Amino acid sequence: MTLRHHRVYVLVCVALVFAAVFAVPVTFLQVRPAPAAPVAAGASLPTLVAAAATPAGAATPAGPQAWTEADLDAVGEDEGPEAPAPAAPAMTLADACRRLPGYGTIFVEPQPGDEGIQVFEGTFGRRTFFEVVRSHTRDLDAVAAIAEAVRRTQLFDFRRIRPDDRYRLFCAADGTVRMFEYSRSETEMYHVVRAGEASFVAHQVEVPVEDRVTRVAGRVEGALARSFVAAGLDASIMPLVTDIFSYSINFSRDVRRGDRFRVAVEERWVGGRFHHYTRILAFEYVGQLIGSVQAYAFEIEGKTRFFAADGSSVQRVFLAAPCRYEAISSRFDPNRMHPVLHVRKPHEGIDLVAPTGTPVYAIADGVLAFHGEKGPNGELVVVQHPGDMMSYYAHLSAYAPNLRDGMPIRRGQLLGYVGNTGRSTGPHLHFGIKLRGEFVDPETYLRSQRARPVPPAQMEAFRARVAELKAELARVPLPDGPAAAAPPPAPEVGYAPPADGGN
C-alpha cells in the first residue's frame, strides 16, 4: 500500500469514529419527544385522568366538573373512624408448614394403610439412627435431612438415644420417608415430618394423659385371666387382683366356671390409647368355693391398702405359701410314722411337693439366720422374723445368689430352689414355723394372720369411701350365676390336685 492510500484509510477511520461518538447521539436527541409538563400540585383527580387520556400533541379538552366524595362512594355509608387492624392469629405448626415450599407433599400424622403408607417400628437397641433407617428403606437422603431438622431445633440428640427408646418410620409406597417418630417415653415424643422434596420439620408432640375409671362385670368361663379379657379388661389386670388376695385366696385352685366378678379400676390413657391400670378401687367376687368377697381401696399413711366393708384387712401378713407346689404330701403331725425310719416321730412342718428347681420365697420380712447343709434337713435356710418367730426351708437343691447370714430379708425374696437333699424320698420342700420356741402348724398359723384393720380414728372416712365405691360397682350389676357358698375347710395353699411323693 502506498503512502497516499494509507493516509486516505486513516481519514476514513477517523470519520467513522466521529460519527459514532457525536453525530448519531445528536440525531437521536433531536427526535426524542419533549418531557411532559409537570403536574401542578393539588391537581384534581378528573384533571389527572383527562390529562392521561389526551394523546400527545393534542389540545387538552375542557375537563369535567370536579368529583365529590359522594361521586366516589359506592355503598353510601359513612367511613367512620378507621378500624384497628386485627391481631394476627397465633401460628400453629400446620400454618408454618403451609408456608413451606411443597406444602402439598406434607404428610402429618400418617396412619398405616393411608396412601400406601408402610409403618416400621421397634426399639433402637444398639443401632444408630442411620442403621435403623437403612434396615427399612433405601431413602438414605432422608437421614441427613432429618438429622439437620433435629439439629436446627435442638429438640434431642441422636447420639444420646437409649437402647429401649422406640421409633416409628412412615414410608410411602416408593420407599421415601414421610415421617420419623422418636419416643423416649410414653409422654415424651418427637415427630420429624417431610415438608417438601428434601426438607423436614421437627417438633415435639404434646401427648395428652388422662385418668379414667372403668367398671366391668363378668362371669368366669375358664381361666380367670381369660374371663377378665372376655369382659373387656386388659390382661394386665390379673396381677393387680392376685396381689390383693395372694395371701388369702388362691385364684389358681378355687375358681370355678360360673363364678362372677365385678371391678372398678383406675386406668391411665396416654395419647388417646390405654396405657396401664394404676390401681383397683373396688373388687367383688362371688364364687362357688371362694364364697362372696369384696375389697375396697383406702389410703392409710400414704399407702393404698384393701379392706372388707367392716374395715378388716383382706390382705395377710405372710405369703400363703413359700413356693408353687403340686400337693401337700405330709402335714403337721406330732405322731407321724416316719416313711424312712419307720418309727413314730413328730413331723413339725408340711411337705410341699414340687419339681426340683422350683423357686422358694421368704414368707415374711426378717433376717437370714442360717443357710447351709444341716444333716437330715439337707440344704437348709432359716429366717428370723419379728415377734420371736422363725421359718424353715429344708431339702433345697441350691441357694439364691448373694445370700449372707445376717442380711435383711424381704417378704417374697428368693431364698433358694426345691430339691431332694438330706433325708428325703423325693423332690419337695419341708416348710416349718417355730413360734416362741415351739413348732406350730404352718397351714393354721398362716391362715390366721391378717394385716391390721382400719384404725378407729379413720373408720368414719373409710365408711364414706366404701359407700362411694359400692355405688361405683352398682353401676355394673353382677351377671346371673350359681349362688355363693362358704369355702370348705382347706389349706390356704395348693395349686393342683393331690399327688404322691416327698417327705
Coordinates of all heavy atoms in Angstrom, one line a residue, residues 57-114:
G57 N -49.5 15.7 22.0 CA -49.6 16.7 21.0 C -50.9 17.3 20.7 O -51.1 18.3 20.0
A58 N -52.0 16.7 21.3 CA -53.4 17.1 21.1 C -53.7 18.2 22.2 O -53.1 18.1 23.3 CB -54.3 16.0 21.2
A59 N -54.7 19.0 21.9 CA -55.1 20.0 22.8 C -55.9 19.4 23.9 O -56.7 18.5 23.7 CB -55.9 21.1 22.1
T60 N -55.6 19.8 25.2 CA -56.3 19.2 26.3 C -57.7 19.7 26.3 O -57.9 20.9 26.4 CB -55.6 19.6 27.6 OG1 -54.2 19.1 27.5 CG2 -56.3 19.0 28.8
P61 N -58.7 18.8 26.3 CA -60.1 19.2 26.3 C -60.5 19.8 27.7 O -59.8 19.5 28.7 CB -60.9 17.9 26.0 CG -60.0 16.8 26.5 CD -58.6 17.3 26.3
A62 N -61.6 20.5 27.6 CA -62.0 21.1 28.9 C -62.5 19.9 29.8 O -63.3 19.1 29.4 CB -63.2 22.0 28.6
G63 N -61.9 19.8 31.0 CA -62.2 18.7 31.9 C -63.6 18.8 32.5 O -64.2 19.9 32.5
P64 N -64.2 17.6 32.9 CA -65.5 17.7 33.6 C -65.4 18.3 34.9 O -64.3 18.6 35.4 CB -65.8 16.2 33.7 CG -64.5 15.5 33.8 CD -63.5 16.3 32.9
Q65 N -66.6 18.5 35.5 CA -66.6 19.2 36.8 C -65.9 18.3 37.8 O -65.9 17.0 37.7 CB -68.1 19.4 37.2 CG -68.8 20.4 36.4 CD -70.2 20.7 36.8 OE1 -70.7 20.0 37.7 NE2 -70.8 21.7 36.3
A66 N -65.4 18.8 38.9 CA -64.6 18.1 39.9 C -65.6 17.1 40.6 O -66.7 17.4 40.9 CB -64.0 19.0 40.9
W67 N -65.1 15.8 40.8 CA -65.8 14.8 41.5 C -65.9 15.1 43.0 O -64.9 15.5 43.6 CB -65.2 13.4 41.3 CG -65.4 13.0 39.8 CD1 -66.4 13.3 39.0 CD2 -64.5 12.1 39.1 NE1 -66.3 12.7 37.8 CE2 -65.1 11.9 37.8 CE3 -63.4 11.4 39.4 CZ2 -64.5 11.1 36.9 CZ3 -62.8 10.6 38.5 CH2 -63.4 10.4 37.2
T68 N -67.0 14.8 43.6 CA -67.1 15.0 45.0 C -66.9 13.6 45.7 O -66.9 12.6 45.1 CB -68.5 15.5 45.4 OG1 -69.5 14.5 45.0 CG2 -68.8 16.8 44.6
E69 N -66.9 13.6 47.0 CA -66.8 12.4 47.8 C -68.0 11.5 47.6 O -67.9 10.3 47.5 CB -66.7 12.7 49.3 CG -65.4 13.4 49.7 CD -64.2 12.5 49.5 OE1 -64.4 11.3 49.5 OE2 -63.1 13.0 49.2
A70 N -69.2 12.1 47.3 CA -70.4 11.3 47.0 C -70.2 10.6 45.7 O -70.7 9.5 45.5 CB -71.6 12.2 47.0
D71 N -69.6 11.2 44.8 CA -69.4 10.5 43.5 C -68.5 9.3 43.6 O -68.6 8.4 42.8 CB -68.7 11.5 42.5 CG -69.6 12.7 42.2 OD1 -70.8 12.5 42.1 OD2 -69.1 13.8 42.0
L72 N -67.6 9.3 44.6 CA -66.7 8.2 44.8 C -67.2 7.1 45.8 O -66.5 6.2 46.1 CB -65.3 8.7 45.3 CG -64.7 9.7 44.3 CD1 -63.4 10.2 44.9 CD2 -64.4 9.1 43.0
D73 N -68.4 7.3 46.3 CA -68.9 6.4 47.3 C -69.9 5.4 46.7 O -70.9 5.8 46.2 CB -69.6 7.2 48.4 CG -70.1 6.3 49.6 OD1 -69.8 5.1 49.6 OD2 -70.8 6.8 50.5
A74 N -69.6 4.1 46.7 CA -70.4 3.1 46.0 C -71.4 2.5 46.9 O -72.5 2.1 46.5 CB -69.5 2.0 45.5
V75 N -71.2 2.5 48.3 CA -72.2 1.9 49.2 C -73.0 2.9 50.0 O -73.9 2.5 50.7 CB -71.4 0.9 50.1 CG1 -70.8 -0.2 49.3 CG2 -70.4 1.7 51.0
G76 N -72.6 4.1 49.9 CA -73.4 5.1 50.6 C -73.3 5.1 52.1 O -74.3 5.4 52.8
E77 N -72.2 4.7 52.6 CA -72.0 4.6 54.1 C -70.9 5.5 54.5 O -69.9 5.7 53.8 CB -71.7 3.1 54.5 CG -72.8 2.2 54.2 CD -72.4 0.8 54.6 OE1 -71.3 0.6 55.1 OE2 -73.2 -0.2 54.4
D78 N -71.1 6.0 55.7 CA -70.1 6.8 56.3 C -68.9 5.9 56.8 O -69.1 4.9 57.4 CB -70.6 7.6 57.5 CG -69.6 8.6 58.1 OD1 -68.6 8.8 57.5 OD2 -69.9 9.1 59.2
E79 N -67.7 6.3 56.4 CA -66.5 5.5 56.8 C -66.3 5.4 58.3 O -65.9 4.4 58.8 CB -65.2 6.1 56.1 CG -65.2 6.0 54.6 CD -63.9 6.5 54.0 OE1 -63.1 6.9 54.8 OE2 -63.8 6.4 52.8
G80 N -66.6 6.5 59.0 CA -66.4 6.5 60.4 C -64.9 6.4 60.8 O -64.1 6.5 59.9
P81 N -64.6 6.2 62.1 CA -63.2 6.1 62.5 C -62.6 4.9 61.9 O -63.2 3.8 61.7 CB -63.3 6.1 64.0 CG -64.6 5.6 64.3 CD -65.6 6.1 63.2
E82 N -61.3 5.0 61.6 CA -60.6 3.9 61.0 C -60.5 2.7 62.0 O -60.1 2.9 63.1 CB -59.2 4.3 60.6 CG -58.4 3.2 59.8 CD -57.1 3.8 59.3 OE1 -56.8 5.0 59.5 OE2 -56.3 2.9 58.8
A83 N -60.9 1.5 61.6 CA -60.9 0.3 62.4 C -59.4 -0.2 62.6 O -58.7 -0.1 61.7 CB -61.7 -0.8 61.9
P84 N -59.1 -0.6 63.9 CA -57.8 -1.1 64.1 C -57.6 -2.4 63.3 O -58.5 -3.2 63.1 CB -57.7 -1.3 65.6 CG -59.1 -1.5 66.0 CD -60.0 -0.6 65.1
A85 N -56.3 -2.6 62.9 CA -56.0 -3.8 62.2 C -56.2 -5.0 63.1 O -55.8 -5.0 64.3 CB -54.6 -3.8 61.7
P86 N -56.8 -6.1 62.7 CA -57.0 -7.3 63.5 C -55.7 -7.9 63.9 O -54.7 -7.9 63.1 CB -57.8 -8.2 62.7 CG -57.6 -7.8 61.2 CD -57.3 -6.3 61.3
A87 N -55.6 -8.4 65.1 CA -54.3 -9.1 65.6 C -54.1 -10.4 64.8 O -55.1 -11.1 64.5 CB -54.4 -9.4 67.1
A88 N -52.9 -10.6 64.5 CA -52.6 -11.8 63.7 C -52.7 -13.0 64.6 O -52.3 -13.0 65.8 CB -51.1 -11.8 63.2
P89 N -53.4 -14.1 64.1 CA -53.6 -15.3 65.0 C -52.3 -16.0 65.2 O -51.3 -15.8 64.5 CB -54.6 -16.1 64.2 CG -54.3 -15.7 62.7 CD -54.0 -14.2 62.8
A90 N -52.3 -16.7 66.4 CA -51.0 -17.4 66.7 C -50.8 -18.5 65.6 O -51.7 -19.2 65.2 CB -51.2 -18.1 68.0
M91 N -49.5 -18.6 65.2 CA -49.2 -19.5 64.1 C -49.0 -20.9 64.7 O -48.3 -21.1 65.7 CB -47.9 -19.1 63.4 CG -47.5 -20.0 62.3 SD -46.1 -19.4 61.4 CE -46.7 -17.9 60.7
T92 N -49.7 -21.9 64.2 CA -49.6 -23.3 64.6 C -48.6 -24.0 63.7 O -48.1 -23.4 62.7 CB -50.9 -24.0 64.5 OG1 -51.3 -24.0 63.1 CG2 -52.0 -23.3 65.3
L93 N -48.3 -25.2 64.0 CA -47.4 -26.0 63.2 C -47.9 -26.1 61.8 O -47.2 -26.0 60.8 CB -47.1 -27.3 63.8 CG -46.3 -28.3 63.0 CD1 -44.9 -27.8 62.9 CD2 -46.3 -29.7 63.6
A94 N -49.2 -26.4 61.7 CA -49.8 -26.5 60.4 C -49.7 -25.3 59.6 O -49.4 -25.3 58.4 CB -51.3 -26.9 60.5
D95 N -49.9 -24.1 60.2 CA -49.7 -22.8 59.5 C -48.3 -22.7 59.0 O -48.0 -22.2 57.9 CB -50.1 -21.6 60.4 CG -51.5 -21.7 60.8 OD1 -52.4 -22.1 60.0 OD2 -51.8 -21.2 61.9
A96 N -47.3 -23.0 59.9 CA -45.9 -22.9 59.5 C -45.6 -23.8 58.3 O -44.9 -23.5 57.4 CB -45.0 -23.2 60.7
C97 N -46.2 -25.0 58.3 CA -46.0 -26.0 57.2 C -46.5 -25.5 55.9 O -46.0 -25.6 54.9 CB -46.6 -27.3 57.6 SG -45.7 -28.2 58.9
R98 N -47.7 -24.8 56.0 CA -48.3 -24.3 54.8 C -47.5 -23.2 54.1 O -47.6 -23.0 52.9 CB -49.7 -23.7 55.1 CG -50.7 -24.7 55.5 CD -52.1 -24.1 55.6 NE -53.1 -25.1 56.0 CZ -53.5 -25.3 57.3 NH1 -52.9 -24.5 58.3 NH2 -54.3 -26.2 57.6
R99 N -46.6 -22.6 54.8 CA -45.7 -21.5 54.2 C -44.5 -22.1 53.6 O -43.7 -21.4 53.0 CB -45.3 -20.5 55.3 CG -46.5 -19.8 55.9 CD -46.1 -18.6 56.7 NE -47.2 -17.8 57.2 CZ -47.1 -16.6 57.7 NH1 -46.0 -16.0 57.8 NH2 -48.2 -16.0 58.1
L100 N -44.3 -23.4 53.8 CA -43.1 -24.0 53.3 C -43.3 -24.4 51.8 O -44.4 -24.8 51.4 CB -42.7 -25.3 54.1 CG -42.3 -25.0 55.5 CD1 -42.2 -26.3 56.3 CD2 -41.0 -24.2 55.6
P101 N -42.2 -24.4 51.0 CA -42.3 -24.9 49.6 C -42.8 -26.4 49.6 O -42.4 -27.2 50.4 CB -40.9 -24.8 49.1 CG -40.2 -23.8 50.0 CD -40.8 -24.0 51.3
G102 N -43.6 -26.7 48.6 CA -44.1 -28.0 48.5 C -45.0 -28.4 49.6 O -45.0 -29.6 50.0
Y103 N -45.9 -27.5 50.0 CA -46.8 -27.9 51.1 C -47.7 -29.1 50.8 O -48.0 -29.9 51.7 CB -47.7 -26.7 51.5 CG -48.9 -27.0 52.4 CD1 -48.7 -27.4 53.7 CD2 -50.2 -27.1 51.9 CE1 -49.7 -27.8 54.5 CE2 -51.2 -27.4 52.7 CZ -51.0 -27.8 54.0 OH -52.1 -28.1 54.8
G104 N -48.0 -29.2 49.5 CA -48.9 -30.3 49.2 C -48.3 -31.7 49.5 O -49.0 -32.7 49.5
T105 N -47.0 -31.8 49.6 CA -46.4 -33.1 49.9 C -46.2 -33.3 51.4 O -45.8 -34.4 51.8 CB -45.0 -33.1 49.3 OG1 -44.1 -32.1 49.9 CG2 -45.0 -32.8 47.8
I106 N -46.6 -32.4 52.3 CA -46.5 -32.6 53.7 C -47.5 -33.7 54.2 O -48.6 -33.8 53.7 CB -46.8 -31.3 54.5 CG1 -45.7 -30.3 54.2 CG2 -46.9 -31.5 56.0 CD1 -45.9 -28.9 54.8
F107 N -47.0 -34.5 55.0 CA -47.7 -35.7 55.4 C -47.7 -35.8 56.9 O -46.8 -36.4 57.5 CB -47.2 -37.0 54.8 CG -48.1 -38.1 54.7 CD1 -49.2 -38.1 53.9 CD2 -48.0 -39.2 55.6 CE1 -50.1 -39.2 53.8 CE2 -48.8 -40.3 55.6 CZ -49.9 -40.3 54.7
V108 N -48.6 -35.2 57.6 CA -48.5 -35.1 59.1 C -49.4 -36.2 59.7 O -50.5 -36.4 59.2 CB -49.0 -33.7 59.6 CG1 -49.0 -33.6 61.1 CG2 -48.2 -32.6 59.0
E109 N -48.9 -36.9 60.7 CA -49.6 -37.9 61.4 C -50.2 -39.0 60.4 O -51.4 -39.2 60.4 CB -50.8 -37.3 62.2 CG -50.3 -36.3 63.3 CD -49.6 -37.0 64.4 OE1 -49.6 -38.3 64.4 OE2 -49.0 -36.3 65.3
P110 N -49.4 -39.6 59.6 CA -50.0 -40.6 58.7 C -50.4 -41.9 59.5 O -49.9 -42.1 60.6 CB -48.8 -40.9 57.8 CG -47.6 -40.6 58.6 CD -48.0 -39.5 59.5
Q111 N -51.3 -42.6 58.9 CA -51.8 -43.8 59.5 C -51.5 -45.0 58.6 O -51.4 -44.8 57.4 CB -53.3 -43.7 59.7 CG -53.8 -42.6 60.7 CD -53.3 -42.9 62.1 OE1 -53.2 -44.0 62.6 NE2 -52.9 -41.8 62.8
P112 N -51.2 -46.2 59.2 CA -50.9 -47.3 58.4 C -52.0 -47.6 57.4 O -53.2 -47.6 57.7 CB -50.8 -48.5 59.4 CG -50.5 -47.8 60.7 CD -51.2 -46.5 60.6
G113 N -51.6 -47.8 56.1 CA -52.6 -48.1 55.1 C -53.0 -46.9 54.3 O -53.5 -47.0 53.2
D114 N -52.9 -45.7 54.8 CA -53.2 -44.5 54.1 C -52.2 -44.2 53.0 O -51.0 -44.1 53.2 CB -53.3 -43.2 55.0 CG -54.4 -43.3 56.0 OD1 -55.2 -44.2 55.9 OD2 -54.4 -42.5 57.0

